């Protein structure tokens, strides 16, 4: 088998246990603990689809994660060569290649080979397969045959709870006023918020200071 190569670095912190799970997402998280067959995850930007997809690969010793954000840098045929020999294949951002006939054809044939091999395929997108404007009817049919799960995004209230929950995982004491300050003055994107917590954790350790509003202000310039 030729080695599949893609310059992708998995986020090691992307695990099922570090995913802040609201009640609406409990079903998908439980399903991902015992994967089989073909699954399709979709959700809005910052809903956590990519986190969950990477978590699936991180908990497997025989999986590969293929995000298609940089699809223009790769050949669809070369990228999917021998993919059917891998027990777990996770393909993210498939909505980005919709409308590109060469990619649609390559993904369709890759699906068929993976299915024939009896291996597990998980794909992610920002909309359900029923609304994807796919040109290749056979590919749309294959995607629609998947077990489909929606990943619900956090609202302001649950982002507040998620920040405090994630801070606790770092061993940080994040007071309510500090949490609210972060939400009021910085990006609402959960990935950015969690990156901020990681930076705060490092700064707090290096300076031996508690996480306060002045410490937060010293770290980043608030978003306008």
């Amino acid at each position: 088998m030729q080695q599949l190569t893609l310059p992708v670095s998995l986020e090691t912190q992307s695990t099922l246990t570090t995913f802040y799970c609201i009640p609406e997402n409990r079903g998908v998280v439980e399903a991902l603990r015992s994967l089989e067959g073909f699954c399709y995850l979709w959700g809005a930007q910052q809903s956590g689809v990519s986190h969950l997809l990477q978590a699936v690969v991180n908990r497997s010793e025989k999986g590969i994660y293929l995000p298609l954000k940089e699809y223009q840098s790769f050949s669809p045929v070369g990228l999917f060569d021998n993919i059917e020999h891998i027990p777990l294949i996770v393909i993210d951002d498939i909505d980005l290649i919709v409308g590109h006939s060469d990619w649609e054809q390559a993904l369709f044939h890759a699906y068929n080979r993976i299915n024939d091999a009896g291996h597990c395929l998980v794909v992610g997108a920002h909309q359900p397969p029923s609304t994807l404007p796919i040109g290749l009817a056979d590919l749309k049919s294959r995607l629609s045959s998947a077990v489909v799960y929606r990943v619900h995004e956090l609202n302001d209230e649950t982002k507040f709870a998620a920040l405090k929950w994630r801070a606790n995982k770092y061993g940080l004491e994040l007071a309510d006023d500090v949490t609210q300050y972060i939400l009021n003055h910085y990006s609402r994107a959960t990935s950015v918020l969690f990156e901020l917590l990681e930076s705060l954790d490092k700064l707090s350790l290096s300076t031996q200071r508690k996480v306060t509003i002045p410490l937060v202000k010293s770290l980043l310039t608030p978003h306008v």
Side-chain angles (χ1 to χ4, degrees):
M1 168 183 166
Q2 180 182 356
Q3 180 66 40
L4 281 168
T5 58
L6 189 65
V8 172
S9 178
L10 278 172
E11 294 288 341
T12 57
Q13 292 185 355
S14 293
T15 67
L16 294 181
T17 56
T18 59
F19 179 75
Y20 183 74
C21 187
I22 57 177
E24 295 88 341
N25 289 331
R26 286 175 186 163
V28 62
V29 171
E30 287 306 310
L32 295 178
R33 295 187 188 280
S34 54
L35 268 177
E36 59 181 27
F38 181 25
C39 294
Y40 184 115
L41 272 61
W42 72 274
Q45 293 280 356
Q46 300 297 325
S47 62
V49 170
S50 293
H51 179 116
L52 289 174
L53 293 179
Q54 292 188 58
V56 167
V57 179
N58 278 329
R59 72 194 307 267
S60 168
E61 297 180 355
K62 299 179 180 180
I64 187 171
Y65 175 68
L66 300 175
L68 299 182
K69 286 183 179 179
E70 305 295 332
Y71 72 92
Q72 292 175 323
S73 301
F74 306 100
S75 160
V77 176
L79 184 62
F80 295 135
D81 274 355
N82 297 309
I83 200 171
E84 67 274 11
H85 298 293
I86 301 173
L88 170 65
I89 302 97
V90 177
I91 306 176
D92 202 354
D93 307 307
I94 65 165
D95 43 326
L96 297 181
I97 57 92
V98 167
H100 300 273
S101 59
D102 54 343
W103 278 96
E104 290 188 3
Q105 287 282 350
L107 183 57
F108 168 70
H109 291 299
Y111 165 86
N112 287 338
R113 299 196 309 274
I114 294 166
N115 186 60
D116 289 345
H119 289 161
C120 184
L121 172 64
V122 187
V123 300
H126 294 307
Q127 59 189 105
S130 60
T131 64
L132 278 180
I134 300 171
L136 183 61
D138 286 339
L139 176 59
K140 191 174 185 71
S141 174
R142 297 298 188 274
L143 294 177
S144 298
S145 71
V147 179
V148 179
Y149 296 98
R150 179 183 176 184
V151 181
H152 296 263
E153 61 270 30
L154 303 180
N155 57 28
D156 287 348
E157 181 180 351
T158 49
K159 282 180 184 178
F160 185 97
L163 271 177
K164 292 181 72 71
W165 176 82
R166 179 65 75 92
N168 185 62
K169 293 243 177 224
Y170 284 118
L172 291 176
E173 293 183 15
L174 200 63
D176 288 355
D177 62 332
V178 177
T179 305
Q180 194 60 57
Y181 178 85
I182 291 172
L183 288 172
N184 288 344
H185 293 85
Y186 292 88
S187 168
R188 293 301 181 94
T190 52
S191 60
V192 176
L193 291 172
F194 291 157
E195 286 171 5
L196 172 61
L197 282 182
E198 185 176 357
S199 298
L200 282 171
D201 178 49
K202 292 177 181 177
L203 183 59
S204 177
L205 287 173
S206 65
T207 61
Q208 294 298 300
R209 295 170 60 189
K210 291 184 178 180
V211 177
T212 60
I213 291 176
L215 186 68
V216 174
K217 286 181 177 179
S218 73
L219 187 61
L220 292 173
T221 301
H223 291 266
V224 178

